């Protein structure tokens, strides 16, 4: 297949954003109203792989928009060690493209038995996970045939953003309605992305870093590069990078940094300063001012609010992973040793 499926699914994302806003928003608002009426005091998120990065983004949303404590569940605490916690007044959100992995299903079943409000966010309304949760949100991504998740990830991001905003009592404004337009504009710059990918054709390792809402973006970029191009890609928050891993960075070491406008991007500036001092090879994805501080870069639209930048920033890097995999002789549709649905426990 040589990447045709992944390329097509990446290209579908502007229309998918429009579909979620058109067809999914009402159902999201209905579930949010039911959950809000029960006043959860704490939120737990459970996910694996790409969906875990969507959950990480959601954790930031919950803490900044709802003012509630939020945590990421360790599924093995339940599936391997048999742990069981009191869950009254806890909201558990399970995020999964397929809704089929046992290590997501069992924590949701036990949480619901223990009194939690449970919400499954999947691309599979007929899945076991959707049936096990009290509420279900369909991310409306449509069938995703490539092994590498692309459109299901951004569909999860948008669905979860709308859900948290609805829990907050806010309505979607012009910024979120402009996402399809911004996605179309960014994806149209594919030749620019292809030229950037050539620089890393022979890379063996790199580090991806960001802070705040886009820490999830950094982790998702690293995963895409590992599973499509088989290089060693480590993701760190900018703060964690300075707490030790910075020692491995020296002249020419490749770094991908997500530095959009906003407070999260501002918090990355001291990190960029340290990388410059070490003469790292920095590929900066962000606003024009941040990109000017790097070796190379891709300028993101500065009219997207920081809270929504993860939905746009990942798009050129999905294309980047696709181009890099092909340059290295791989098929991004069929990463070696991987299947579309990974069942763990």
């Amino acid at each position: 297949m040589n990447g045709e499926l992944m390329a097509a699914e990446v290209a579908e994302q502007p229309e998918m954003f429009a579909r979620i806003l058109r067809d999914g928003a009402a159902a999201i608002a209905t579930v949010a109203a039911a959950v809000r009426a029960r006043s959860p005091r704490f939120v737990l998120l459970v996910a694996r792989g790409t969906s875990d990065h969507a959950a990480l983004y959601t954790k930031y949303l919950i803490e900044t928009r709802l003012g509630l404590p939020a945590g990421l569940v360790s599924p093995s605490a339940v599936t391997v060690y048999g742990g069981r916690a009191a869950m009254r007044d806890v909201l558990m959100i399970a995020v999964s493209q397929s809704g089929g992995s046992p290590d997501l299903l069992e924590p949701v079943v036990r949480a619901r038995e223990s009194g939690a409000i449970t919400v499954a966010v999947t691309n599979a309304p007929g899945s076991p996970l959707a049936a096990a949760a009290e509420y279900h949100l369909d991310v409306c991504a449509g069938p995703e045939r490539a092994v590498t998740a692309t459109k299901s990830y951004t569909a999860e991001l948008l669905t979860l953003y709308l859900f948290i905003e609805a829990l907050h009592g806010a309505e979607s404004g012009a910024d979120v309605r402009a996402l399809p337009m911004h996605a179309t504009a960014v994806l149209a710059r594919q030749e620019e992305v292809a030229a950037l990918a050539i620089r890393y054709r022979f890379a063996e390792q790199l580090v991806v870093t960001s802070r705040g809402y886009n820490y999830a973006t950094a982790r998702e970029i690293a995963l895409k590069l590992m599973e499509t191009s088989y290089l060693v890609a480590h993701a760190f928050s900018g703060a964690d990078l300075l707490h030790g891993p910075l020692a491995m960075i020296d002249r020419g070491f490749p770094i991908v940094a997500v530095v959009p406008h906003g407070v999260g991007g501002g918090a990355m500036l001291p990190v960029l300063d340290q990388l410059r001092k070490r003469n790292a090879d920095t590929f900066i994805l962000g606003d024009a001012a941040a990109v000017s501080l790097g070796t190379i870069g891709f300028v993101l639209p500065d009219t997207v609010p920081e809270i929504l930048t993860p939905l746009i920033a990942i798009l050129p890097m999905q294309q980047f992973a696709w181009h890099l995999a092909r340059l290295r002789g791989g098929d991004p549709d069929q990463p070696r040793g991987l299947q579309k649905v990974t069942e763990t426990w």
Side-chain angles (χ1 to χ4, degrees):
M1 286 179 277
N2 205 24
E4 288 88 351
L5 293 178
M6 181 180 172
E9 288 167 356
V10 169
E12 287 177 29
Q13 290 172 102
E15 171 52 33
M16 183 197 69
F17 284 157
R19 182 168 62 249
I20 293 169
L21 294 169
R22 181 183 64 242
D23 301 336
I28 293 169
T30 298
V31 172
V35 172
R36 188 170 63 247
R38 295 166 67 177
S39 301
R41 59 182 174 82
F42 192 92
V43 185
L44 292 173
L45 298 124
V46 60
R48 288 289 195 194
T50 284
S51 295
D52 197 37
H53 305 152
L56 177 59
Y57 169 64
T58 308
K59 181 180 185 294
Y60 277 89
L61 293 178
I62 292 163
E63 293 173 343
T64 59
R65 296 295 288 159
L66 302 183
L68 292 176
L72 300 174
V73 170
S74 300
S76 59
V78 174
T79 60
V80 176
Y81 294 103
R84 187 180 291 268
M87 293 282 188
R88 184 171 59 85
D89 297 331
V90 172
L91 169 61
M92 176 177 277
I93 303 173
V95 190
S96 171
Q97 191 282 137
S98 69
S101 184
D103 63 346
L104 302 184
L105 178 62
E106 191 170 347
V108 169
V109 169
R110 292 200 184 183
R112 189 171 179 183
E113 292 173 348
S114 300
I117 309 162
T118 53
V119 178
V121 180
T122 82
N123 195 34
S127 65
L129 187 62
E134 186 174 358
Y135 303 102
H136 176 252
L137 295 176
D138 184 353
V139 302
C140 302
E144 189 173 56
R145 297 169 59 202
V147 171
T148 299
T150 53
K151 65 177 184 174
S152 63
Y153 174 64
T154 52
E156 290 170 352
L157 294 184
L158 181 52
T159 299
L160 287 159
Y161 171 80
L162 293 172
F163 179 57
I164 300 306
E165 286 297 288
L167 284 176
H168 183 60
E171 295 185 0
S172 300
D175 290 329
V176 74
R177 292 194 296 272
L179 284 172
M181 175 191 69
H182 290 303
T184 298
V186 167
L187 290 172
R189 295 162 61 190
Q190 182 159 197
E191 290 187 6
E192 183 181 345
V193 175
L196 293 169
I198 293 171
R199 184 181 186 89
Y200 300 94
R201 181 177 181 179
F202 300 107
E204 296 182 357
Q205 60 184 359
L206 56 77
V207 161
V208 192
T209 184
S210 191
R211 293 198 68 176
Y213 297 118
N214 279 287
Y215 177 36
T217 308
R219 291 181 57 174
E220 178 62 9
I221 291 169
L223 176 59
K224 287 291 149 301
L225 294 174
M226 286 187 284
E227 67 185 1
T228 60
S229 293
Y230 316 139
L231 54 78
V232 179
H234 297 281
F236 298 99
S237 80
D240 285 333
L241 183 63
L242 299 183
H243 279 271
L246 187 68
M248 69 178 171
I249 309 301
D250 57 10
R251 179 179 296 275
F253 193 102
I255 304 282
V256 177
V258 187
V259 192
H261 66 91
V263 295
M268 281 293 295
L269 295 180
V271 181
L272 297 184
D273 184 58
Q274 290 297 319
L275 295 175
R276 283 199 308 275
K277 289 178 179 178
R278 285 159 175 76
N279 295 306
D281 184 296
T282 50
F283 171 9
I284 299 181
L285 192 73
D287 64 20
V291 167
S292 70
L293 300 175
T295 309
I296 61 170
F298 185 96
V299 177
L300 296 170
D302 61 8
T303 52
V304 179
E306 182 188 358
I307 198 169
L308 291 172
T309 53
L311 287 82
I312 298 299
I314 192 60
L315 302 180
M317 297 310 295
Q318 291 172 344
Q319 292 178 323
F320 180 89
W322 184 86
H323 282 291
L324 187 60
R326 287 165 55 93
L327 284 168
R328 294 161 72 100
D331 180 356
D333 282 347
Q334 296 181 314
R336 64 192 183 203
L338 298 181
Q339 300 178 19
K340 185 60 185 172
V341 179
T342 304
E343 293 189 1
T344 50
W345 51 91

